[in-house]
Amino acid sequence: MEKKKETMPPGRQVVMSGIRPTGFLHLGNYFGAIQNYVKMQDDFECYFMVADLHSLTTHPDTKELKQNVLRVLAENIACGLDPEKAAFYCQSHVHETAELYLYLNMMAYKGELEKTTTFKDKVRQHPQNVNAGLLTYPVLQAADIVIHRAKYVPVGKDQEQHLEMARTFANRFNHRYGEVLPEPTAFNYNRQLIKVPSLDGTGKMSKSENPNATIYLADEDDVIRKKVMKTKTDAGPTQQNSVKPDYIDNIFGLMKLVSVNDVVAKFEDDYNACTIRYGDMKKQLAEDMVNFIAPIRNKVNDILNNEKYLKEVMEKGAAKANASANATMKLVRQAMGLNYY
Ligand code: TRP
């Protein structure tokens, strides 16, 4: 018990999350994950990590890795993540993560790893490259989290199983060697996550779905306009105050994210009065979307053009992350009895 007090000072509320450097960020990421990060960096001690090592499990070719890492950094900073407030760093810059991953691997059983949903999905997608790194992906993720003794992990539903496994490994460690690692839990401010509908009326915007139905932060103005104008509509309602079909509801949903209230209210009234002109609505949405995305896109490009700044961001992030990781690893080695002198 005494140990616990010493290793977890009250009030140190640590948040940790990882972002894979694959693909471009889109509007769904912006209103989902990134806005949460931006809010958290004021309230907690935050570690936000670019998961470059995780990407090697499925993307062994590293030709584009650097560019992808720089882009993820730039996109998140352009969206408001502040490297002065949070530790914003690359996974590969914290070498102790690999050490902790090794220790946690001794507590992870082959059977439970094979049962992981993401592993089974990836085996299906890459049957020719079912490597041990893929199998132990959740162990590396657990190491990322517990190396900062993080309590809160802002992630979406798709990461719940990995988080559950991180708790399992932390608990096994604690039972075997003593209380060092707090149990991490998912966190998102208890408010409903904003759902960003995709442009084709099916589900939400996501990296893997149809790129034509997704607005990326990197999309040029014309591309945004084209994507918005192509969204499905119909001849309009024929009865006043009727329920909206999904694909129409989605257009309203997108409009609520980027247009001012009066504009949304006008089209709601038009819809209810059966006088709505979807062509006009989409033109309005396209312009409001352009006005929302363009400044972010330009900021991303400015940051990407400043490699010196990005290098400083990575160095500063690595220094903060390494300080926290080293402190944990001292306790870990001590608890495991690996301190021989
Ligand atoms: N697996 C996460 C994803 O696919 C990325 C990730 C790596 C992560 N390490 C993490 C998320 C640690 C939260 C905490 O998005």
Side-chain angles (χ1 to χ4, degrees):
M1 266 336 268
E2 232 180 24
K3 237 185 207 168
K4 191 164 186 171
K5 251 188 220 149
E6 178 191 291
T7 56
M8 288 183 242
R12 187 176 181 254
Q13 305 269 291
V14 180
V15 166
M16 192 280 152
S17 195
I19 311 156
R20 264 181 306 169
T22 49
F24 291 75
L25 291 188
H26 53 73
L27 214 58
N29 300 130
Y30 179 88
F31 285 106
I34 306 177
Q35 287 225 313
N36 251 337
Y37 295 168
V38 170
K39 193 158 155 36
M40 277 175 204
Q41 65 190 359
D42 288 317
D43 300 343
F44 299 97
E45 180 178 327
C46 289
Y47 296 89
F48 296 128
M49 179 197 83
V50 180
D52 53 350
L53 300 178
H54 270 118
S55 75
L56 298 176
T57 61
T58 48
H59 296 68
D61 184 349
T62 53
K63 261 203 300 296
E64 282 165 19
L65 186 57
K66 178 178 174 188
Q67 222 25 62
N68 291 340
V69 166
L70 296 182
R71 170 159 286 278
V72 175
L73 290 168
E75 285 188 325
N76 279 279
I77 295 168
C79 292
L81 203 147
D82 185 350
E84 299 293 326
K85 292 180 186 166
F88 195 23
Y89 67 100
C90 297
Q91 192 176 27
S92 60
H93 289 160
V94 180
H95 299 165
E96 271 73 12
T97 304
E99 181 188 346
L100 185 54
Y101 169 57
L102 187 149
Y103 300 152
L104 294 181
N105 267 323
M106 314 301 176
M107 286 157 223
Y109 300 111
K110 178 172 161 279
E112 67 190 332
L113 294 171
E114 280 171 342
K115 268 193 286 184
T116 317
T117 312
T118 48
F119 176 68
K120 290 195 282 190
D121 287 347
K122 282 172 185 164
V123 169
R124 236 174 280 130
Q125 290 158 8
H126 312 266
Q128 75 300 345
N129 184 23
V130 183
N131 59 72
L134 205 54
L135 183 67
T136 54
Y137 184 113
V139 187
L140 181 55
Q141 181 161 345
D144 293 333
I145 298 167
V146 302
I147 205 159
H148 299 301
R149 281 168 284 159
K151 285 208 189 101
Y152 303 123
V153 186
V155 284
K157 256 202 141 23
D158 64 319
Q159 294 297 312
E160 255 165 29
Q161 193 179 25
H162 288 168
L163 205 50
E164 178 71 47
M165 295 171 86
R167 279 195 288 277
T168 302
F169 304 144
N171 278 329
R172 280 184 201 150
F173 183 97
N174 291 342
H175 280 129
R176 212 171 275 179
Y177 299 116
E179 290 281 337
V180 175
L181 308 171
E183 268 193 28
T185 52
F187 183 82
N188 55 37
Y189 281 109
N190 279 338
R191 55 175 188 192
Q192 261 202 305
L193 285 180
I194 299 164
K195 177 181 164 234
V196 181
S198 81
L199 295 171
D200 59 7
T202 63
K204 48 180 197 152
M205 273 190 199
S206 86
K207 267 187 203 171
S208 46
E209 304 279 327
N210 177 8
N212 287 320
T214 301
I215 305 256
Y216 296 94
L217 302 180
D219 279 348
E220 294 292 337
D221 294 352
D222 291 354
V223 174
I224 297 171
R225 290 193 185 98
K226 227 179 257 158
K227 285 181 180 176
V228 171
M229 294 313 288
K230 269 205 201 132
T231 54
K232 174 178 169 185
T233 54
D234 53 29
T238 50
Q239 279 198 352
Q240 295 197 349
N241 303 314
S242 49
V243 177
K244 300 183 187 98
D246 284 353
Y247 51 94
I248 298 297
D249 201 38
N250 282 352
I251 301 178
F252 275 97
L254 288 165
M255 197 169 226
K256 281 182 197 139
L257 297 174
V258 297
S259 303
V260 295
N261 291 341
D262 288 356
V263 166
V264 182
K266 175 208 173 306
F267 287 103
E268 291 275 10
D269 291 346
D270 289 353
Y271 180 87
N272 288 328
C274 301
T275 57
I276 191 158
R277 293 165 58 141
Y278 288 131
D280 291 350
M281 183 181 183
K282 290 201 279 189
K283 259 187 219 149
Q284 176 78 46
L285 175 60
E287 287 323 300
D288 290 342
M289 191 65 85
V290 164
N291 286 332
F292 184 84
I293 298 283
I296 301 176
R297 184 189 64 227
N298 294 336
K299 206 165 171 195
V300 172
N301 290 334
D302 287 347
I303 297 170
L304 279 175
N305 283 328
N306 193 347
E307 272 210 43
K308 182 167 166 281
Y309 167 73
L310 282 172
K311 181 171 178 275
E312 282 164 12
V313 166
M314 283 188 277
E315 279 170 352
K316 184 174 273 178
K320 287 194 228 172
N322 276 310
S324 154
N326 289 337
T328 301
M329 289 314 288
K330 261 201 196 112
L331 299 171
V332 163
R333 293 182 202 114
Q334 208 169 38
M336 291 180 74
L338 293 169
N339 51 335
Y340 303 138
Y341 56 86

